[in-house]
Amino acid sequence: MPTTQFDKESIKKSIQGKLQRYNGRTLADATDQQIYYAVASTVRDQIMQKWVAYREKDKSYQGKRLYYLSVEFLTGRSLHCNILNLCSQEVYQQAFEELGLDWRRVFKEEPEPGLGNGGLGRLAACFMDSLASLSLPAMGCTIRYEYGLFRQRILGGQQVEVPDNWLENGNVWEVPAMEDVCEVHFGGYVEETTENGRMKFTLKDYHTIEAVPYDMPVAGYDCETVNSLRMWRARSPKTLDLATFSSGQYSKAMREQELASVISKVLYPEDNHYEGKELRLKQHYFFTSATLQYAIKDFKRRFGTNFMLLPEKMTVHINDTHPGLAIPELMRILMDEEGLGWEEASWIVQHTVAYTNHTVMSEALERWPEAMMKNLLPRIYMILQEINRRVCARLADHFQNGADPRIAQMAVTAYDMVHMANLCVAMSYSVNGVSQLHGDILKEDTFHDYYEFTPSKFSAITNGITHRRWLMTCNPGLTKLITDSIGDKWKREPQLLKELFPFQNDAAFRAEFEKIKRQNKEVFSNLLMQRQKMTVDPDFLFDVQAKRLHEYKRQLLNALHIMVLYNRIMDDPNFTMTPRVFIFGAKASPGYYIAKQIIKLIIAISKLIDKSPRAKKYLRVIFLENYDVSSAEALIPAADLSEQLSTAGKEASGTGNMKFMMNGAVTMGTMDGANVEIHDQVGPDNIYIFGMRADTVSDLYREGTYSPMHIYENNAELRRALTQIIDGTLFPDNPALLQDIYHNLLFNDHYFVLKDFGSYSMAQRRVDADYQNREKWLKMAIANTACSGVFSSDRTISEYNEMIWHLK
Ligand code: 26Q
């Protein structure tokens, strides 16, 4: 196989050649988009060459393989990270320079695949990067949504959702794998027969959907490994009915096609929230079934039909419960298609499937009506019932009491619902939480009864982020400073960032660090100008809260505090403070009413402040439209303060917190999720911790004595800010617009916003003072970057591999 060189001259030639062949243009008159495609397909050629070589080696691979199943992979753009992982930054940079191309301008032409909502999907993407970079054999498996997460526009002071047609101009990075097309069956009924004295179950009268795989290469950093992200698209197996078409019934002829393809049409925009929509259940089964059919086919190719080897040769990791139907589906394939008995199939499943939980919020726990499951997946439903019967029998035996109330709590099906989390805990060999605190809560609370039943299954592995995207590509200035100071071994071993710690005391280093932060603020300000026709002053403190909008994440705490600052400025002519811009980035689920009201509130506060020349000198509020991976890559390197305000016990881990820290922002946070571990790493002097601890929160829930009204009555500043929500200060023409926010806070306040307000406000006073002390602040910021190495997903993946997967 001849290999092509990818030196500077051949890269230049390739880009120009592609423009000529694809577009009939020269570089001089090509559009930015055409240039992007020419560059990206040059990089793709380079990856393809490695992919071919890797696959060739892989053919004879006899070891274990990981299938990582996730309904979301929030990958972000690929071009820059691919160039980085190929170790080709320098040659491309030189080639660009000589061709007169602008690096950033080309990158921003790439449509961002928004195939995820937030933390869960982004984690899956970081994991893919680390798996490949650690040369572990893995395939990511998901749905190829035609429309990703909606794009957010702000119009008339509120969120408006626009469809995300990310495939409109084609996707350079994917290749269809037509040899692996398979069928997924829905509906019908189960016929029971006996064959050679054994029960046989056959699905009849089912409806077929075809699953078409598209593979995206995932190249590891500075290594030979190129794994795949496999995305399944749904289509109808029937070709167009020409007779119907000719008779003029166009729409009837098309209907079948369209009905099938809705399954992979659009990503559901709910984050940390369950909605029992049938189409969603179809999506889950669709990609899970297709993946397992492929995995079994590959196993048979490698090892024949000795299925007892399966746990030794593959792990099926399910990212939350959404792909949990992998459990009954694998049993179905082994029993109905491969002829194994229940005992064998069940043993195999219980040694092959591993499960990660990502949330303890009860409204996010996945439950499906039994009737829906039975209708849509009759054979799968039968298997679930049998699993449930056996699980309950084991439990009754264990508790020595068939009527023990714990059994109903732990059952797979109960009260007419299929409880996916119980299914996953009962049937997988490993259950893990995503931070130490979250792992403890799973053991002590969420899955307490299961923990007592099978304690050894449970573990906690703290999340991580890929430092290649979240430092090396998004923050080249800081990357260079780090390398100039401690060499470049940290790129392979991010824990070596620790060596930066003593540089806090180096005045020249601090000055350089400060300069880079300022440049990043300017870059962000320019982006804001392009996108929203706004600027921010880089001399202001950049105070950032960027994450999905959710009541438990408490954007409201931040908003109320801004109102209090505004009032202090307006009330006292001598008041001064450190000038600060509060930047919010947040999408709300389209159906989440209160979340959308909160966006309105933030934007209204922003406008109120902008109307006052005096307030504007100290305070700005920016609502960054359409917060996505690409805008995070510009925003996070510019942040000074990272707001991580979740009610303690609610945020399983958080991963944004780690990205900010790595880029030298100081955390303002509760003792929740991974904030606890960030605190452990940097020490109490390099973080602002406030608010109730998780145990106090759960005590308060249990006692039920919390009275937000009591706090309202005793805190005048807070009372005033709350009143301004409804007294016409924000909406003179419609003072009642946000009354639901007001009422929720005053009469319910489920997330303890008022309770934690005092402590938050005090911690913010310290930030205000500390930021003035440049030396102190920079030392804190540097300490944060220096201590962020453990939060690289390379460490996370190594732990998964040691504790759960055991891949070579
Ligand atoms: C539930 C039922 C049916 C369909 C969908 C869902 C659903 C969808 C999305 C449930 C949950 C989610 C998203 C969860 C999520 O993003 N969790 C986040 O995971 C991150 C990675 O582990 C953590 O860092 C965050 O703390 C956690 O909120």
Side-chain angles (χ1 to χ4, degrees):
M1 162 88 51
T3 55
T4 315
Q5 285 301 304
F6 289 93
D7 53 41
K8 186 188 66 188
E9 286 311 318
S10 35
I11 288 169
K12 281 164 62 184
K13 257 190 20 216
S14 165
I15 295 170
Q16 287 166 316
K18 284 175 195 291
L19 281 172
Q20 185 171 52
R21 291 194 306 278
Y22 302 162
N23 308 102
R25 301 275 173 104
T26 64
L27 198 56
D29 43 30
T31 65
D32 284 353
Q33 198 189 55
Q34 290 165 338
I35 294 170
Y36 159 73
Y37 279 94
V39 173
S41 37
T42 300
V43 173
R44 184 186 58 188
D45 291 346
Q46 200 173 338
I47 291 181
M48 289 298 166
Q49 204 168 75
K50 292 184 80 168
W51 210 7
V52 168
Y54 183 74
R55 284 187 152 167
E56 200 46 47
K57 249 179 50 191
D58 191 60
K59 274 187 194 153
S60 54
Y61 176 69
Q62 292 283 312
K64 195 174 189 180
R65 217 196 283 291
L66 167 71
Y67 292 93
Y68 192 85
L69 275 66
S70 177
V71 77
E72 302 185 5
F73 279 84
L74 189 48
T75 57
R77 291 175 179 148
S78 295
L79 179 55
H80 193 179
C81 286
N82 278 339
I83 292 176
L84 179 94
N85 282 7
L86 292 168
C87 295
S88 299
Q89 280 227 102
E90 256 168 61
V91 271
Y92 274 90
Q93 233 152 7
Q94 286 165 7
F96 272 43
E97 221 160 87
E98 292 179 18
L99 294 174
L101 294 176
D102 174 1
W103 199 235
R104 284 182 205 271
R105 229 171 99 176
V106 174
F107 293 153
K108 90 172 190 345
E109 286 300 317
E110 178 170 358
E112 173 175 325
L115 309 188
N117 274 285
L120 171 133
R122 184 53 233 175
L123 185 77
C126 284
F127 278 12
M128 289 306 291
D129 185 64
S130 286
L131 281 162
S133 298
L134 296 173
S135 292
L136 296 173
M139 180 184 256
C141 303
T142 189
I143 298 169
R144 183 175 175 275
Y145 300 104
E146 203 175 316
Y147 291 87
L149 184 64
F150 67 88
R151 287 155 180 278
Q152 180 195 53
R153 304 275 349 256
I154 300 296
L155 290 174
Q158 60 182 329
Q159 166 175 302
V160 174
E161 299 92 22
V162 180
D164 167 49
N165 192 1
W166 71 289
L167 288 167
E168 195 170 31
N169 297 310
N171 174 10
V172 178
W173 305 110
E174 67 183 12
V175 264
M178 300 312 287
E179 66 279 15
D180 292 330
V181 171
C182 63
E183 290 188 357
V184 179
H185 298 162
F186 292 96
Y189 66 94
V190 179
E191 186 184 80
E192 300 178 23
T193 52
T194 29
E195 220 170 66
N196 309 324
R198 275 192 48 175
M199 291 281 277
K200 197 170 153 32
F201 301 90
T202 319
L203 193 64
K204 295 276 175 178
D205 269 355
Y206 51 80
H207 181 79
T208 300
I209 302 288
E210 254 177 18
V212 186
Y214 291 75
D215 291 341
M216 232 164 85
V218 183
Y221 177 71
D222 195 13
C223 66
E224 297 311 309
T225 304
V226 185
N227 285 330
S228 312
L229 172 59
R230 174 156 282 195
M231 305 179 291
W232 296 96
R233 178 171 77 88
R235 72 170 184 202
S236 164
K238 304 214 180 86
T239 47
L240 196 63
D241 183 345
L242 275 181
T244 319
F245 190 78
S246 318
S247 70
Q249 295 174 278
Y250 309 119
S251 52
K252 186 171 176 220
M254 299 298 293
R255 206 171 302 143
E256 191 96 38
Q257 305 281 326
E258 276 166 22
L259 278 179
S261 65
V262 289
I263 292 184
S264 54
K265 186 67 77 186
V266 58
L267 168 75
Y268 275 97
E270 281 85 33
D271 183 80
N272 263 305
H273 187 79
Y274 163 72
E275 266 184 272
K277 297 263 167 53
E278 190 186 57
L279 180 59
R280 178 147 205 168
L281 181 56
K282 279 189 188 165
Q283 290 187 332
H284 291 180
Y285 182 67
F286 166 74
F287 95 97
T288 303
S289 171
T291 299
L292 282 166
Q293 290 182 52
Y294 168 73
I296 293 295
K297 180 168 108 175
D298 187 64
F299 175 86
K300 283 163 80 177
R301 181 185 62 74
R302 292 196 296 153
F303 308 107
T305 52
N306 180 8
F307 291 106
M308 298 315 263
L309 264 184
L310 205 106
E312 218 174 280
K313 300 301 180 188
M314 67 189 240
T315 285
V316 173
H317 200 103
I318 54 179
N319 198 25
D320 217 299
T321 56
H322 320 145
L325 291 178
I327 291 162
E329 176 65 2
L330 185 51
M331 296 214 42
R332 184 194 67 78
I333 296 173
L334 292 173
M335 295 188 302
D336 299 0
E337 291 178 15
E338 303 297 343
L340 270 62
W342 181 280
E343 298 294 341
E344 293 161 302
S346 148
W347 179 87
I348 292 167
V349 168
Q350 290 177 69
H351 290 83
T352 303
V353 178
Y355 157 57
T356 300
N357 173 284
H358 294 268
T359 184
V360 296
M361 307 244 300
S362 57
E363 67 263 38
L365 288 182
E366 197 186 352
R367 292 187 180 92
W368 297 102
E370 284 189 61
M372 189 191 284
M373 189 72 81
K374 185 175 176 186
N375 241 310
L376 195 66
L377 305 166
R379 178 58 182 141
I380 293 298
Y381 177 67
M382 275 178 91
I383 295 170
L384 288 172
Q385 277 187 310
E386 181 60 14
I387 291 175
N388 181 58
R389 200 183 61 74
R390 291 175 186 239
V391 166
C392 292
R394 247 188 315 176
L395 291 172
D397 201 45
H398 176 76
F399 296 133
Q400 300 187 346
N401 172 11
D404 192 296
R406 282 172 288 186
I407 298 176
Q409 291 303 305
M410 299 167 78
V412 175
T413 59
Y415 309 111
D416 303 324
M417 299 294 260
V418 180
H419 194 307
M420 294 302 288
N422 285 348
L423 170 70
C424 296
V425 176
M427 296 296 286
S428 56
Y429 71 91
S430 161
V431 178
N432 77 284
V434 290
S435 69
Q436 299 311 308
L437 176 65
H438 173 60
D440 290 341
I441 293 174
L442 291 185
K443 292 197 270 191
E444 283 157 25
D445 190 20
T446 320
F447 299 136
H448 175 257
D449 296 336
Y450 265 112
Y451 174 62
E452 296 211 309
F453 185 49
T454 45
S456 62
K457 264 191 200 180
F458 287 82
S459 65
I461 302 181
T462 303
N463 281 167
I465 55 168
T466 166
H467 61 288
R468 287 167 289 274
R469 180 179 292 266
W470 296 110
L471 181 54
M472 291 165 67
T473 47
C474 75
N475 200 340
L478 185 54
T479 301
K480 180 168 184 307
L481 175 63
I482 295 169
T483 304
D484 290 347
S485 310
I486 62 169
D488 68 0
K489 268 173 74 186
W490 66 275
K491 294 179 176 174
R492 296 222 119 268
E493 293 171 64
Q495 312 246 19
L496 294 177
L497 284 171
K498 261 268 135 69
E499 293 175 5
L500 281 177
F501 204 79
F503 283 85
Q504 286 176 82
N505 300 315
D506 177 333
F509 183 92
R510 284 199 306 268
E512 197 55 33
F513 192 94
E514 184 172 32
K515 197 172 114 198
I516 291 160
K517 183 62 83 180
R518 203 194 143 85
Q519 281 165 355
N520 292 338
K521 289 174 166 189
E522 278 163 7
V523 170
F524 176 76
S525 181
N526 292 338
L527 179 98
L528 199 63
M529 188 63 209
Q530 277 174 26
R531 286 185 30 176
Q532 289 172 232
K533 303 278 172 286
M534 291 177 189
T535 56
V536 274
D537 183 345
D539 287 327
F540 275 41
L541 187 164
F542 277 32
D543 179 327
V544 183
Q545 187 170 20
K547 49 183 77 251
R548 283 298 288 255
L549 215 143
H550 210 296
E551 285 161 285
Y552 85 83
K553 294 177 188 283
R554 298 201 294 192
Q555 280 92 352
L556 271 178
L557 192 52
N558 193 345
L560 286 170
H561 174 248
I562 297 169
M563 279 306 289
V564 166
L565 292 178
Y566 170 79
N567 291 331
R568 286 182 194 158
I569 296 170
M570 300 306 278
D571 291 352
D572 175 0
N574 297 314
F575 179 86
T576 64
M577 59 174 267
T578 300
R580 233 201 258 213
V581 52
F582 291 89
I583 303 170
F584 290 85
K587 289 182 182 176
S589 290
Y592 189 171
Y593 169 76
I594 282 287
K596 289 182 141 181
Q597 297 287 97
I598 295 170
I599 291 179
K600 284 188 201 163
L601 173 68
I602 293 166
I603 293 167
I605 295 173
S606 164
K607 288 186 180 149
L608 178 72
I609 292 168
D610 281 349
K611 277 196 295 205
S612 157
R614 192 173 131 68
K616 250 168 54 174
K617 278 204 288 190
Y618 299 106
L619 256 191
R620 295 285 311 283
V621 173
I622 301 284
F623 192 95
L624 176 65
E625 257 176 73
N626 197 43
Y627 180 63
D628 58 3
V629 175
S630 309
S631 42
E633 286 165 355
L635 176 58
I636 291 171
D640 294 307
L641 190 71
S642 152
E643 301 269 3
Q644 308 298 336
L645 314 181
S646 56
T647 310
K650 298 288 181 191
E651 190 70 274
S653 161
T655 43
N657 47 2
M658 302 168 184
K659 296 166 196 164
F660 282 102
M661 171 198 197
M662 197 172 266
N663 285 278
V666 183
T667 301
M668 162 69 66
T670 48
M671 276 295 209
D672 197 18
N675 297 351
V676 176
E677 289 154 77
I678 292 178
H679 170 268
D680 293 346
Q681 289 296 319
V682 299
D685 295 341
N686 296 310
I687 189 166
Y688 298 90
I689 294 292
F690 73 95
M692 287 189 290
R693 306 300 192 251
D695 49 357
T696 317
V697 170
S698 74
D699 288 348
L700 272 188
Y701 279 130
R702 201 161 359 86
E703 293 160 10
T705 51
Y706 172 51
S707 155
M709 189 58 85
H710 184 73
I711 296 167
Y712 174 87
E713 282 161 0
N714 288 292
N715 184 334
E717 278 194 311
L718 181 56
R719 186 164 61 245
R720 168 115 180 265
L722 282 162
T723 309
Q724 286 168 324
I725 297 177
I726 52 158
D727 72 357
T729 304
L730 295 170
F731 299 96
D733 302 332
N734 186 3
L737 187 70
L738 301 183
Q739 62 177 347
D740 293 317
I741 296 183
Y742 177 83
H743 276 111
N744 272 356
L745 286 173
L746 233 61
F747 301 110
N748 180 8
D749 195 17
H750 184 69
Y751 296 103
F752 301 108
V753 173
L754 302 202
K755 179 86 185 163
D756 277 344
F757 185 85
S759 158
Y760 178 62
S761 166
M762 294 301 281
Q764 287 288 19
R765 278 185 199 268
R766 293 197 288 133
V767 170
D768 186 88
D770 291 347
Y771 193 75
Q772 294 294 334
N773 182 344
R774 294 315 293 155
E775 185 178 327
K776 177 174 182 180
W777 187 271
L778 287 164
K779 283 181 174 175
M780 288 200 289
I782 294 163
N784 271 273
T785 300
C787 297
S788 68
V790 276
F791 298 111
S792 164
S793 45
D794 289 5
R795 186 269 313 150
T796 311
I797 288 297
S798 303
E799 288 182 10
Y800 273 86
N801 197 37
E802 274 160 33
M803 296 167 61
I804 304 175
W805 302 329
H806 313 297
L807 307 164
K808 294 268 151 45

